[in-house]
Amino acid sequence: YPELAAAAASALLSQRSAVEACVNAGLLVEGAEIDAVTLASWSFVHGISALVVSGQMPMGPDAVEMLLDHIGNYLLFGVLKQAPPAAS
């Protein structure tokens, strides 16, 4: 499916451009790895989309906006009370 592959590549490039703009604007933590943040955010959007399209939203389709807000915040700000210890 070449059209699907092209659409996926375009979506990923768009997501990467948005992340790169955030990095360049100083909105993300210092040292944020553009490709890692892009993959994490793209996976988030893709996962929610797949659940909605397949009718597998555990809380029903009306919960999508609420879930996007909460999960997006978890992605951006984390859920840990404190940062994990630095890897040595």
Side-chain angles (χ1 to χ4, degrees), residues 18 40 48 53 57 69 72 76 79:
I48 294 293
V53 168
M57 287 299 293
D69 287 343
L76 290 173
V79 294

Side-chain angles (χ1 to χ4, degrees), residues 16-28 32 34:
R16 189 181 194 288
S17 295
V19 170
E20 192 169 20
C22 289
V23 168
N24 292 338
L27 299 175
L28 302 183
I34 292 172

Side-chain angles (χ1 to χ4, degrees), residues 7-75:
S10 176
L12 181 58
L13 182 59
S14 177
Q15 189 74 18
R16 189 181 194 288
S17 295
V19 170
E20 192 169 20
C22 289
V23 168
N24 292 338
L27 299 175
L28 302 183
V29 295
E30 185 174 329
E33 213 293 312
I34 292 172
D35 290 331
V37 175
T38 299
L39 183 57
S41 59
W42 193 48
S43 298
F44 160 62
V45 170
H46 184 273
I48 294 293
S49 299
L51 290 171
V52 169
V53 168
S54 65
Q56 297 183 58
M57 287 299 293
M59 298 175 182
D62 295 336
V64 172
E65 189 171 337
M66 181 271 301
L67 285 173
L68 288 172
D69 287 343
H70 287 287
I71 297 170
N73 283 333
Y74 297 152
L75 176 64

